[in-house]
């Protein structure tokens, strides 16, 4: 069961790259993948936690905190 809780992780990752002046080419090299995979990540609203862990480590940013804050700020 997948639900969208208002966070698009791919867009968040892309924004972080842009805000920090890091290129897609640089990021693809860090992940050891090609640019087409990078754009699939940027267009995806969800991501495996193991991939997010690796991305967080490379970018030195806790994306898990970003995702969890969405839940703590949500009112039901």
């Amino acid at each position: 069961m997948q639900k969208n809780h208002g966070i698009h992780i791919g867009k968040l990752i892309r924004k972080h790259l842009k805000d920090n002046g890091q290129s897609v080419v640089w990021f693809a090299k860090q992940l050891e993948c090609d640019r087409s995979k990078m754009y699939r990540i940027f267009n995806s609203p969800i991501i495996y936690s193991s991939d997010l862990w690796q991305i967080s480590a490379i970018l030195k940013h806790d994306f898990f905190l970003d995702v969890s804050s969405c839940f703590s700020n949500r009112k039901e």
Side-chain angles (χ1 to χ4, degrees):
M1 168 172 44
Q2 295 178 5
K3 290 185 179 182
N4 184 341
H5 293 286
I7 243 183
H8 188 292
I9 195 65
K11 288 181 182 179
L12 193 63
I13 293 166
R14 177 69 186 241
K15 181 180 181 331
H16 183 81
L17 274 176
K18 183 178 179 183
D19 290 350
N20 289 285
Q22 296 162 311
S23 73
V24 174
V25 172
W26 172 84
F27 191 38
K29 285 181 184 176
Q30 301 305 305
L31 282 175
E32 299 177 351
C33 66
D34 59 24
R35 285 178 40 180
S36 64
K37 180 176 179 179
M38 297 309 314
Y39 290 106
R40 284 193 300 273
I41 290 172
F42 297 151
N43 290 320
S44 179
I46 59 172
I47 190 169
Y48 288 114
S49 59
S50 58
D51 293 338
L52 190 58
W53 180 267
Q54 183 180 16
I55 290 168
S56 292
I58 289 168
L59 297 181
K60 297 176 176 58
H61 179 82
D62 188 351
F63 289 100
F64 291 96
L65 184 60
D66 297 333
V67 171
S68 66
S69 71
C70 178
F71 292 106
S72 63
N73 293 332
R74 204 174 97 208
K75 295 182 170 79
E76 297 198 38

